[in-house]
Amino acid sequence: MSNVILKDLVKSYDGKKNIIDGINLEIKDKEFIVLVGYSGCGKSTILRLISGLEDITSGEITIGDKVVNNIAPKDRDIAFVFQSYALYPHLTVYENMAFGLKMRKYDKKTINEKVLEAAKALNLEEYLNRKPKELSGGQRQRVALGRAIVRNPKVFLMDEPLSNLDANLRVHMRAEIKRLHNKLQTTFIYVTHDQTEALTMGDRIVVLDKGIIQQVASPEEIYNNPKNKFVAGFIGQTNFIESNYINGKININGVDIDLPSDVKNKIGDRTSVIIGIRAEKMLSGDYILNAKTDIVEMTGGERTVYCEINNAKCSARVPLEYSCDKTVQLKISPSDMYVFDKETGMNLLYK
């Protein structure tokens, strides 16, 4: 079993402020889980605590059926793939991939078999005699992956491994890593700040903010049913519009919008709320809003129009042929709205 359990995990560097603040998380055996959040939210620190590269302040970490708090990193049966590749420049690809096995006193035959098997899986066979400086960024990252694979660890830890690659190569490597996970059938814990990577790669996503877990769920659940305003804003492109709530209606750009009875019940006696609408849902309803166009961006097969609604900066994705030069006509639906409490930021419609 290669499940990982974090129980009441706390990390503080100065004894005053917690970088990781009481996290509880169970990562299942063979799961691909992605930790996401803004820089400084604690996602990379969690990897370093799991790996043993940093000591925890309090709490407990279990890998498999063993509490590893006091176990050295080399004995935790994990492999760490870093953002910077961390390859030895003076060693060949083969020697880099074999290095960890040599340190663990594997015999030459076993080392050769494991390196060749990993090289084949990662299409690195023709590069085994090259030095890292002779490789592209994508090839170097595959070598770093290969060095981890040969050890056959219980858990793979990956800290933003694709952030140094160009956009097209990142797309290719996302698919390669998912294919690798399916083949190896072991646990992957992957850190990124890229929401696209999180949505396309993870079995589940952990959204973090200031060392606290905001939501843990499948990509579909995170996207369609965000627990709070932070999650809705971090995953996807969401507009947040403050609106008065009077007699069961909200007012957006002068248009009164009647809300369904179940939504009214959730809002209760509040007199104002924050409405969330995703950019791709701004043309999908019957309530028509006219907004002044600010900026229009061409984004491939569609455009993104930036405008102002109820004094809030908003965006809408529209077809290329849609009129949006000076003003844009938006069409919204209450069924596409999230409703957030102004004080707590919690999604009142969260299920």
Side-chain angles (χ1 to χ4, degrees):
M1 293 289 288
S2 54
N3 60 317
V4 177
I5 300 173
L6 312 180
K7 184 178 179 182
D8 299 326
L9 192 65
V10 172
K11 176 63 180 179
S12 175
Y13 291 103
D14 59 6
K16 298 176 183 178
K17 181 180 179 180
N18 292 339
I19 305 301
I20 303 299
D21 198 3
I23 280 180
N24 289 283
L25 177 65
E26 182 170 356
I27 301 164
K28 302 170 187 174
D29 181 40
K30 301 177 184 178
E31 185 174 25
F32 195 125
I33 198 159
V34 180
L35 310 182
V36 294
Y38 294 113
S39 295
C41 72
K43 54 189 186 295
S44 293
T45 300
I46 291 174
L47 284 197
R48 296 178 68 82
L49 295 175
I50 294 172
S51 69
L53 294 178
E54 291 193 20
D55 295 327
I56 65 173
T57 301
S58 64
E60 189 175 274
I61 299 174
T62 302
I63 299 177
D65 58 355
K66 184 184 296 184
V67 176
V68 299
N69 289 27
N70 299 314
I71 294 177
K74 66 183 180 64
D75 298 322
R76 294 194 182 193
D77 202 8
I78 54 94
F80 207 132
V81 179
F82 296 92
Q83 175 182 351
S84 61
Y85 316 136
L87 301 178
Y88 296 107
H90 61 289
L91 301 181
T92 64
V93 168
Y94 183 100
E95 290 167 337
N96 266 284
M97 291 171 66
F99 186 83
L101 299 178
K102 288 182 177 180
M103 292 297 99
R104 287 168 173 78
K105 309 299 183 182
Y106 281 77
D107 62 83
K108 288 185 178 180
K109 183 175 181 294
T110 301
I111 291 173
N112 191 59
E113 289 174 352
K114 286 180 173 290
V115 170
L116 292 181
E117 182 181 3
K120 183 177 181 180
L122 294 165
N123 296 317
L124 288 171
E125 293 166 291
E126 63 182 286
Y127 306 108
L128 289 174
N129 293 319
R130 295 190 186 183
K131 300 284 182 65
K133 67 180 180 181
E134 301 173 71
L135 304 177
S136 68
Q139 289 163 346
R140 291 178 193 176
Q141 192 55 270
R142 278 187 279 156
V143 175
L145 288 169
R147 185 176 54 190
I149 291 170
V150 296
R151 291 178 47 203
N152 193 28
K154 283 184 179 179
V155 181
F156 282 87
L157 307 178
M158 299 188 175
D159 191 4
E160 304 205 43
L162 308 185
S163 61
N164 290 334
L165 306 181
D166 62 55
N168 287 337
L169 192 51
R170 280 204 304 271
V171 173
H172 173 73
M173 286 301 297
R174 284 205 309 260
E176 288 295 317
I177 291 174
K178 277 297 290 182
R179 197 173 292 118
L180 188 62
H181 174 255
N182 292 336
K183 180 177 180 179
L184 297 177
Q185 288 294 293
T186 191
T187 306
F188 277 46
I189 306 175
Y190 188 101
V191 159
T192 183
H193 63 273
D194 187 317
Q195 58 173 274
T196 302
E197 284 183 23
L199 289 169
T200 56
M201 298 178 76
D203 298 324
R204 285 191 300 158
I205 297 173
V206 181
V207 182
L208 290 152
D209 182 37
K210 298 175 183 176
I212 298 172
I213 292 177
Q214 301 298 310
Q215 188 171 359
V216 183
S218 69
E220 294 81 5
E221 174 75 6
I222 288 278
Y223 194 83
N224 294 317
N225 190 27
K227 191 172 183 178
N228 55 39
K229 186 170 176 277
F230 180 86
V231 175
F234 188 84
I235 300 292
Q237 194 172 0
T238 304
N239 301 306
F240 297 108
I241 305 165
E242 187 172 337
S243 172
N244 292 326
Y245 177 68
I246 303 172
N247 297 326
K249 297 179 180 180
I250 56 173
N251 186 280
I252 300 180
N253 265 24
V255 177
D256 286 329
I257 298 174
D258 194 22
L259 299 177
S261 57
D262 60 328
V263 178
K264 295 176 185 177
N265 291 336
K266 296 286 186 179
I267 294 176
D269 59 0
R270 294 172 177 83
T271 57
S272 63
V273 290
I274 295 175
I275 299 298
I277 312 177
R278 294 205 179 274
E280 67 271 22
K281 297 291 187 179
M282 298 295 278
L283 288 183
S284 58
D286 297 323
Y287 285 94
I288 296 175
L289 308 177
N290 291 302
K292 184 179 178 181
T293 299
D294 183 14
I295 298 171
V296 180
E297 291 180 344
M298 163 72 169
T299 54
E302 61 185 3
R303 286 182 175 142
T304 298
V305 182
Y306 294 90
C307 55
E308 191 171 283
I309 302 173
N310 279 23
N311 298 317
K313 300 294 183 182
C314 296
S315 60
R317 294 181 194 166
V318 304
L320 291 177
E321 65 274 10
Y322 201 76
S323 176
C324 55
D325 289 337
K326 294 183 178 180
T327 61
V328 60
Q329 187 179 82
L330 306 174
K331 302 172 184 178
I332 63 176
S333 169
S335 63
D336 294 325
M337 296 177 183
Y338 306 123
V339 182
F340 301 101
D341 183 272
K342 279 181 61 178
E343 302 301 323
T344 66
M346 297 304 293
N347 181 3
L348 300 178
L349 308 183
Y350 177 72
K351 300 175 182 177

